[in-house]
Amino acid sequence: MKKVFIKTHGCQMNEYDSAKMLDLLRSEEDYELAESEQQADLLILNTCSIREKAQEKVFHQIGRWKKIKDSNPDLKIAIGGCVASQEGEKIIKRAPSVDIVFGPQTLHKLPDLIKNNEIDDRSQIDISFPKIEKFDHIPTPDYGEPSSFVSVMEGCNKYCSFCVVPHTRGHEVSRNFDDILNEVSALADNGTREIHLLGQNVNNFKGLQNGDKSSLAKLIVEVAKIANIERIRFTTSHPHEFKDDLVEVYGSVPELVSHVHLPVQSGSDRILKLMRRRYTVEKYLDLINRIKSARPDMSFSSDFIVGFPDESEEDFQATMDIVNEVGFDESYSFIYSPRPNTPAAEMPDCVPLEEKKLRLDILQNRLNQLSYGYSRKMVGSTQNCLITARSKKDPGEFQARTINDRVVNFRPKKHKIGDFINLKILDAYTNSLRGEVKDLS
Ligand code: SAH
Ligand code: F3S
């Protein structure tokens, strides 16, 4: 049996794609997972190009792998994901040790690309966008983690002015409704209790159901009916497409968790317009309030970009204002990074990097303070949690996840991974909570 080692950069979508690459190589090519890079016959890097730094990491990694290849010339190196899609054959020009380059939409062609490369050792490149074809080639899962990702749509048509995703992942295409339900059922039969529906613009899911366009809300209703599925999450939502029926399911589907990631990016209408986000602060806040009316205990996390071209002190202050008004939980924030072929990269920008770093610091301090505040408030409460893994530091302990996706470490009694459990929260730390078993539920 040959061995493959996969390293994944970037988002949950990439994590999902990497898992699918492994499924494919296992079922079609008799590969098994290598425990280390040194043991592998094939090294795959699934790359991210959302920010410049992420992209730089790729060539550093290839450099490290080249050293392994120097002492094992039969080793193959394959580069997939968004940098592969963006750079294509330039990767092989810059790093000739790379054998295969494939994009997010052509990962199902990996077995063929490997075979072709083995014939005459010539490099193989396929970064096309053959619609949703890849899902027709990916085997139905025969295993299930307690919490599993399921991709429901691919790509994005929004073309926010700063974002490379529409260029690297292509236009939006939704998977067929019933295919998704079949995948969820297969996962549920294999022990999955929580389903995390994925898409770059997940709330614009329009998969066909009996020939008609469906919606994310309809999908959630049907996923909730599948036996053993007790929690549903979805990411990432665009505020513009968060339609009324999706707000309504918060009132009618208890399996849908009381937590949603809703990237706002900026609190300034001027910047939102330059970003081409298609909503104003007022509209965003109205959406938050409508979701809260359907589900009063909702919590929200978000993404922020600081230092967008020509962001003024006033614009930045408006971002701090919306942070304080919504009281976001567990958010992500980044300094704007110019990306190839995006309109924002051409916009004049007079804000010095030092100022941008200072703003990021101020924002992150406030976001961390808010997030830690939520954690502290949970101390003393009882939380329904899903046991997802053994603790990394202490194998005698387990990790469980709360509804707002915090990790709780605790000492189990008669529990196993995949059980739901009520945990009393004893203490809160920066990145996790400590809990104790409340009862044997
Ligand atoms: N579909 C999601 C975003 C996916 S990208 C949405 O609608 O918001 C994940 C996050 O990366 C974005 O929310 C944004 O905050 C950040 N990001 C994207 N492009 C960026 C860039 N050029 N510079 C800095 N951060 C960026
Ligand atoms: Fe990117 Fe905007 Fe789509 S942030 S992924 S272009 S919604």
Side-chain angles (χ1 to χ4, degrees):
M1 249 185 169
K2 286 193 169 180
K3 294 195 172 185
V4 56
F5 183 91
I6 308 181
K7 193 170 179 88
T8 309
H9 293 164
C11 63
Q12 292 157 331
M13 202 75 148
N14 268 11
E15 297 281 348
Y16 179 84
D17 282 351
S18 292
K20 296 295 150 187
M21 287 173 207
L22 183 60
D23 287 356
L24 202 64
L25 291 172
R26 266 190 182 138
S27 73
E28 285 192 21
E29 294 299 312
D30 238 13
Y31 270 87
E32 65 179 8
L33 196 61
E35 273 164 32
S36 71
E37 288 145 305
Q38 279 71 20
Q39 278 185 355
D41 303 287
L42 170 65
L43 294 170
I44 301 179
L45 182 61
N46 193 3
T47 62
C48 169
S49 64
I50 199 79
R51 284 169 290 277
E52 199 176 7
K53 267 195 190 150
Q55 193 175 324
E56 278 165 18
K57 271 169 69 180
V58 175
F59 289 98
H60 290 145
Q61 185 61 59
I62 297 174
R64 282 192 290 271
W65 282 355
K66 183 179 176 297
K67 287 190 191 131
I68 306 180
K69 190 163 173 158
D70 286 343
S71 55
N72 173 14
D74 291 335
L75 179 69
K76 301 287 175 196
I77 300 180
I79 308 296
C82 287
V83 177
S85 171
Q86 186 183 292
E87 303 292 317
E89 62 175 314
K90 278 193 245 158
I91 293 188
I92 294 185
K93 287 219 175 94
R94 184 166 158 191
S97 55
V98 171
D99 301 280
I100 295 164
V101 175
F102 63 104
Q105 309 301 15
T106 45
L107 66 88
H108 59 290
K109 297 192 178 170
L110 201 49
D112 282 345
L113 294 169
I114 296 170
K115 273 187 218 128
N116 291 344
N117 173 266
E118 277 166 356
I119 294 171
D120 58 6
D121 205 27
R122 287 218 331 231
S123 55
Q124 301 290 318
I125 304 169
D126 190 339
I127 50 167
S128 56
F129 295 138
K131 291 272 176 183
I132 207 82
E133 188 184 291
K134 81 175 185 194
F135 290 103
D136 299 334
H137 295 262
I138 285 169
T140 310
D142 57 2
Y143 61 89
E145 303 293 330
S147 173
S148 295
F149 293 126
V150 173
S151 173
V152 304
M153 54 90 68
E154 286 273 329
C156 182
N157 300 345
K158 284 278 168 302
Y159 287 95
C160 299
S161 64
F162 53 82
C163 184
V164 80
V165 170
H167 308 274
T168 56
R169 283 198 173 255
H171 276 187
E172 283 173 19
V173 219
S174 295
R175 280 178 79 186
N176 181 286
F177 198 92
D178 289 335
D179 289 353
I180 298 168
L181 293 184
N182 288 339
E183 185 167 333
V184 175
S185 296
L187 289 165
D189 289 345
N190 286 296
T192 291
R193 314 293 299 276
E194 175 180 286
I195 287 290
H196 198 140
L197 303 171
L198 282 183
Q200 291 299 335
N201 196 9
V202 71
N203 45 337
N204 206 24
F205 167 78
K206 290 184 181 139
L208 292 182
Q209 182 188 22
N210 305 324
D212 291 329
K213 274 186 190 169
S214 176
S215 69
L216 184 64
K218 285 185 187 153
L219 183 66
I220 288 169
V221 169
E222 294 308 314
V223 168
K225 288 181 191 160
I226 294 174
N228 291 333
I229 298 301
E230 297 186 39
R231 269 188 191 174
I232 304 172
R233 303 179 186 278
F234 58 89
T235 15
T236 297
S237 306
H238 191 293
H240 178 65
E241 243 112 35
F242 215 102
K243 305 195 184 81
D244 288 346
D245 62 344
L246 189 54
V247 174
E248 280 157 23
V249 286
Y250 280 98
S252 58
V253 180
E255 287 83 357
L256 189 57
V257 297
S258 298
H259 177 73
V260 72
H261 187 64
L262 200 55
V264 64
Q265 314 296 359
S266 168
S268 151
D269 283 342
R270 191 182 78 87
I271 296 291
L272 287 174
K273 197 160 182 199
L274 288 172
M275 287 179 165
R276 301 194 185 157
R277 288 292 289 181
R278 307 170 196 223
Y279 53 83
T280 58
V281 169
E282 192 187 342
K283 274 204 174 146
Y284 183 88
L285 292 175
D286 175 61
L287 174 60
I288 295 266
N289 287 332
R290 284 187 291 126
I291 301 173
K292 273 189 182 163
S293 307
R295 184 69 75 78
D297 63 345
M298 261 325 264
S299 67
F300 300 88
S301 57
S302 195
D303 290 345
F304 297 88
I305 295 179
V306 298
F308 189 79
D310 264 356
E311 179 192 63
S312 67
E313 189 53 49
E314 231 177 20
D315 294 321
F316 175 65
Q317 196 47 53
T319 297
M320 294 303 291
D321 290 346
I322 198 169
V323 166
N324 290 323
E325 173 146 8
V326 178
F328 289 105
D329 187 11
E330 296 259 338
S331 294
Y332 302 90
S333 44
F334 319 92
I335 290 185
Y336 165 72
S337 167
R339 304 314 295 129
N341 306 318
T342 59
E346 309 297 319
M347 293 179 189
D349 185 5
C350 303
V351 188
L353 184 61
E354 282 314 305
E355 175 61 31
K356 294 186 181 192
K357 284 186 179 161
L358 197 71
R359 288 182 194 168
L360 185 69
D361 241 26
I362 297 171
L363 175 64
Q364 289 189 333
N365 279 338
R366 181 64 186 135
L367 290 170
N368 290 340
Q369 200 182 30
L370 282 167
S371 169
Y372 187 58
Y374 276 101
S375 296
R376 293 267 12 135
K377 261 191 244 155
M378 290 167 83
V379 174
S381 71
T382 299
Q383 300 283 328
N384 184 246
C385 300
L386 172 62
I387 306 177
T388 50
R390 216 166 261 287
S391 155
K392 282 180 205 118
K393 283 191 199 137
D394 179 350
E397 292 206 336
F398 277 167
Q399 288 193 336
R401 294 264 173 179
T402 62
I403 282 175
N404 56 0
D405 224 10
R406 276 176 169 65
V407 173
V408 190
N409 289 297
F410 73 102
R411 206 156 275 283
K413 290 190 176 160
K414 281 198 253 162
H415 307 94
K416 56 183 191 313
I417 291 170
D419 286 349
F420 277 94
I421 182 177
N422 285 328
L423 290 174
K424 180 160 183 212
I425 307 302
L426 302 177
D427 211 347
Y429 312 105
T430 325
N431 294 316
S432 65
L433 304 168
R434 162 144 303 279
E436 74 177 1
V437 178
K438 175 92 172 154
D439 54 45
L440 288 179
S441 57

